[in-house]
Amino acid sequence: MYVYIPTTQLKPAPIILAIHYCSGTAQRYFAGSNYASLADTHGFIVIYPNSPSSGGCWDVASTASLTHGGGGDSQTIINMVDYAVKNYGGDAARVYATGSSSGAMMTNVLAGAYPDVIKAGSVYSGVPDGCFFVPGATAGMATPGWNGACSSGTNIKTAQAWGDLVRSYYPGFKGMYPKMQIFHGTADTTLDYPNLAEQLKEWSNVLGLTFTKNVTNTPQPAYTQIVYGDGSKLVGYSAQGVGHTVPIHESMDLAWFGIA
């Protein structure tokens, strides 16, 4: 657990979980993003979890990590949130998650297994929650449970099937699931582009939303915004010609989280 405390902090302070990619570290994600400098401006806390696996990937494949209160990397990250609330003045009512690649996968897992904690997610080049499940996978593996069918974009399910998977990770939860913002590049050959559509199917079912419209050249040229409902709870961004991973759009994240 690495934490950035801003120079001027809101009391209580929103918390952003900034979750690194495979082969990455907390320090690299700190250096490669602008969340810390923005924290100084807006007064939020940034938690940079560091993967315990030898390959730097997150466990998004085991039953433990995919289950509310089941252990695994997901519960460890939630424990970091609890610690920040108790010790650093974090706001338990304003906890948000974002990440790239493996960190994007973990963002989806946290949103599904811990919707009582995570209020919104922003996902950069990930896969649907539950897509990477591998029986017997553990966080101790160098790459905890790599799933080739998922990474190649061939793990295709109905929206209902994806939604049922998400709901199964926290049976009995009756509250609101997090709002989700999902980016993916059309030229991604690591976590292939069909994973964007599968994520949108998944969260549209969980959130009870239907597709509304596409908006071209938004938020920039060659990006297409994919709007569900009124766009306040689920949006996708298809980045034409962009590979793995889509660059972080920190200002959009803060707006999505309601921080700035």
Side-chain angles (χ1 to χ4, degrees):
M1 177 183 180
Y2 294 85
V3 182
Y4 186 82
I5 305 297
T7 52
T8 302
Q9 180 179 322
L10 294 176
K11 298 186 182 299
I15 298 170
I16 293 180
L17 294 161
I19 310 172
H20 68 74
Y21 43 86
C22 268
S23 78
T25 62
Q27 291 86 349
R28 287 181 184 174
Y29 214 57
F30 166 84
S33 61
N34 294 318
Y35 295 116
S37 60
L38 289 166
D40 287 334
T41 301
H42 298 287
F44 57 87
I45 293 168
V46 191
I47 297 175
Y48 298 91
N50 197 76
S51 170
S53 79
S54 59
C57 298
W58 294 101
D59 169 21
V60 295
S62 72
T63 299
S65 206
L66 289 166
T67 303
H68 181 84
D73 290 357
S74 63
Q75 187 168 359
T76 298
I77 293 173
I78 294 301
N79 291 343
M80 296 177 189
V81 172
D82 293 341
Y83 189 89
V85 169
K86 294 172 182 174
N87 294 279
Y88 300 132
D91 188 349
R94 291 186 291 171
V95 180
Y96 313 105
T98 186
S100 301
S101 192
S102 185
M105 299 184 207
M106 178 54 75
T107 297
N108 276 323
V109 167
L110 291 172
Y114 295 92
D116 54 332
V117 177
I118 306 300
K119 305 306 178 187
S122 186
V123 176
Y124 291 93
S125 307
V127 304
D129 180 22
C131 186
F132 248 55
F133 173 70
V134 176
T138 66
M141 298 176 179
T143 302
W146 187 261
N147 185 318
C150 181
S151 64
S152 64
T154 58
N155 189 352
I156 307 298
K157 300 182 187 297
T158 65
Q160 183 69 43
W162 281 125
D164 287 346
L165 266 184
V166 172
R167 288 181 286 270
S168 74
Y169 301 139
Y170 190 1
F173 178 71
K174 301 300 183 184
M176 178 64 69
Y177 278 85
K179 57 188 292 190
M180 300 298 291
Q181 174 175 263
I182 302 169
F183 296 82
H184 217 102
T186 63
D188 195 328
T189 57
T190 301
L191 300 173
D192 286 24
Y193 182 66
N195 280 300
L196 173 60
E198 297 308 294
Q199 289 174 88
L200 291 171
K201 284 158 62 175
E202 178 173 74
W203 290 112
S204 66
N205 181 267
V206 170
L207 295 167
L209 300 170
T210 56
F211 170 77
T212 302
K213 61 181 177 180
N214 286 331
V215 184
T216 58
N217 296 316
T218 301
Q220 63 199 66
Y223 280 56
T224 298
Q225 183 189 51
I226 307 164
V227 180
Y228 285 76
D230 63 4
S232 66
K233 295 186 181 301
L234 178 62
V235 292
Y237 292 95
S238 174
Q240 182 65 38
V242 176
H244 194 76
T245 61
V246 173
I248 299 170
H249 289 61
E250 293 93 341
S251 61
M252 291 181 65
D253 294 342
L254 296 195
W256 187 247
F257 299 155
I259 293 176

